[in-house]
Amino acid sequence: MKLQITLFFLFMTCLLSAQTSTLKFGEDKADYLYHFAYECIDQEYPNKTGHVLGDDSYLEPPRVMHPAFYGCFDWHSSVHGHWTLVKILTEFPDFEYRDEIIAKLKKNITEENILQEVAYFDDEHNSTYERTYGWAWLLKLDEAIREWNDPVALELQANLSPLVDLLADKFGEFLDKLIYPIRIGEHSNIAFGMSFAYDWAEKYDADLATKIEEKALEYYQNDCDCPLTWEPGGFDFLSPCLQEASIMLKVLPEKEFKQWLKTFLPKFEKHPEKYLEIAVVTDRSDGKLAHLDGLNFSRAWCLFEMGHALNNQKLIDLGDAHFNYSYEKMDSGEYAGAHWLASFAVYALIKSN
């Protein structure tokens, strides 16, 4: 009898630990997604610079202002386009287009180009450029390069490091000044920025990691009843509620996070589908409305993070549904320029299992 009970509990333990996504990041998806980033990182126009002009001398083309990250329509998209290519080569070392990708990475991430990027951020009129969304993606790119087991990674990381050091310092300085959290569903959402930066800082910058932990608790520890059913806003590509849960999952011990989540999102764990409906895009030619496909991907990775941490298959299944809806739209050819969505899709795939 004791043996039967023991076997039963072992069986149940296996079931609980086997929570998994149906998604697989195979070479078929990598082959489809890589070309969005590959084709855009050296495509200069159209370009939304976000540039502040100090005088006439500031009127320069993107490739001069940002010789490393001038493509993909805007600076942050170029950064995470490079991240996408590095992650694909990390996941698939023998990827068919490996040599072509490496050639582009080496062309852009040179010592000279990165020092010019540093000079741009040192300019008095553009010192807050891409705060903090682009900064977080730059740290994520550095993290990916450091974890890429390839000789070329050492060269790229050495070249990138002055910009990494500068933006890590800027991130910490900004948190010192930011009293109130930024909760919107677009670029400046500080929970997103801190979550990505924390992934990097935990490994490479203990001081920044500690500061992010302290600020996350300061901003969010007493939050309750996040209005998840109010989401999404019309232009959202991030979920304010789920991004907050994502950073708190990282900085709180497991037991404390579970208790915090019950207050922050009551009943969400048991019935997540009641609180989140897949975001529908009515016009994918409108870049702001197309943000909502990005929301589906970013929701998916947050749901995967929580689902795996809490052994909750319902969260993972809902993440799968969000991912599949928007990925099928990409794969159907509805997007001609979904370069930024490819990065979101790759990150969600990595988080899925």
Side-chain angles (χ1 to χ4, degrees):
M1 183 66 177
K2 288 183 179 179
L3 178 60
Q4 290 176 320
I5 293 173
T6 300
L7 290 173
F8 172 76
F9 278 108
L10 285 172
F11 174 71
M12 292 303 296
T13 300
C14 290
L15 283 179
L16 289 172
S17 64
Q19 313 296 337
T20 186
S21 166
T22 60
L23 302 178
K24 302 298 177 188
F25 190 17
E27 288 206 44
D28 57 335
K29 284 187 172 65
D31 187 66
Y32 174 69
L33 291 168
Y34 102 92
H35 75 86
F36 289 106
Y38 181 81
E39 292 169 7
C40 85
I41 63 172
D42 56 5
Q43 179 181 312
E44 187 172 10
Y45 296 107
N47 201 300
K48 183 179 180 181
T49 64
H51 181 53
V52 177
L53 299 175
D55 54 45
D56 286 359
S57 69
Y58 283 66
L59 292 168
E60 296 179 312
R63 67 183 180 278
V64 175
M65 292 188 292
H66 299 292
F69 305 116
Y70 61 85
C72 297
F73 187 67
D74 47 33
W75 191 87
H76 56 259
S77 295
S78 179
V79 170
H80 62 64
H82 286 73
W83 172 89
T84 299
L85 298 177
V86 171
K87 289 306 293 184
I88 285 174
L89 293 186
T90 303
E91 295 286 325
F92 307 99
D94 299 320
F95 190 62
E96 180 179 0
Y97 303 102
R98 178 183 182 278
D99 292 344
E100 291 89 337
I101 289 173
I102 288 176
K104 283 203 178 187
L105 294 173
K106 292 182 69 173
K107 173 178 175 290
N108 288 355
I109 306 177
T110 66
E111 180 181 8
E112 181 182 4
N113 287 351
I114 295 303
L115 290 177
Q116 178 59 35
E117 297 279 0
V118 168
Y120 183 90
F121 280 95
D122 279 337
D123 175 72
E124 62 176 316
H125 300 295
N126 291 284
S127 61
T128 63
Y129 184 69
E130 289 284 349
R131 185 180 69 186
T132 58
Y133 183 77
W135 301 358
W137 271 112
L138 194 282
L139 296 179
K140 188 59 84 172
L141 171 60
D142 183 69
E143 178 190 22
I145 291 173
R146 287 173 183 260
E147 295 176 355
W148 180 22
N149 185 24
D150 191 288
V152 73
L154 297 175
E155 174 189 345
L156 296 176
Q157 201 279 320
N159 293 341
L160 190 64
S161 61
L163 184 58
V164 173
D165 293 343
L166 176 66
L167 295 188
D169 288 344
K170 282 181 174 290
F171 209 116
E173 291 166 3
F174 179 57
L175 290 180
D176 286 337
K177 296 184 289 186
L178 186 67
I179 300 174
Y180 311 109
I182 303 166
R183 302 180 186 271
I184 68 170
E186 293 190 89
H187 301 86
S188 57
N189 181 287
I190 196 62
F192 168 85
M194 290 196 299
S195 183
F196 268 31
Y198 188 71
D199 292 342
W200 176 87
E202 250 198 320
K203 302 167 186 173
Y204 310 117
D205 189 334
D207 290 342
L208 180 58
T210 298
K211 186 167 294 185
I212 291 172
E213 291 166 1
E214 292 171 350
K215 296 300 285 191
L217 295 177
E218 177 186 324
Y219 295 152
Y220 306 127
Q221 191 167 32
N222 296 319
D223 282 0
C224 59
D225 299 312
C226 194
L228 192 57
T229 55
W230 290 12
E231 298 182 19
F235 294 161
D236 284 359
F237 63 88
L238 300 169
S239 162
C241 290
L242 294 188
Q243 288 298 330
E244 182 172 332
S246 177
I247 183 60
M248 293 300 275
L249 174 64
K250 294 175 182 180
V251 304
L252 286 176
E254 181 180 348
K255 185 176 180 180
E256 291 182 27
F257 173 75
K258 289 180 178 179
Q259 188 58 47
W260 175 86
L261 189 64
K262 291 182 188 301
T263 302
F264 181 64
L265 292 173
K267 302 179 182 179
F268 176 67
E269 294 174 70
K270 292 185 177 179
H271 303 289
E273 72 284 351
K274 291 184 177 181
Y275 299 89
L276 281 182
E277 293 185 359
I278 294 169
V280 175
V281 182
T282 56
D283 181 0
R284 289 185 167 81
S285 67
D286 185 317
K288 294 287 277 187
L289 294 177
H291 272 182
L292 291 167
D293 276 316
L295 175 67
N296 287 328
F297 288 136
S298 66
R299 277 181 173 179
W301 77 57
C302 291
L303 290 165
F304 294 144
E305 288 175 336
M306 283 192 288
H308 293 310
L310 301 173
N311 283 321
N312 187 321
Q313 189 64 46
K314 289 184 177 180
L315 294 174
I316 293 171
D317 289 345
L318 190 58
D320 284 353
H322 276 75
F323 179 93
N324 286 328
Y325 170 82
S326 287
Y327 186 78
E328 287 170 4
K329 300 299 181 183
M330 286 182 67
D331 203 21
S332 71
E334 287 194 37
Y335 280 107
H339 49 81
W340 70 278
L341 282 175
S343 301
F344 275 49
V346 168
Y347 193 70
L349 286 167
I350 290 170
K351 287 289 184 177
S352 66
N353 288 289

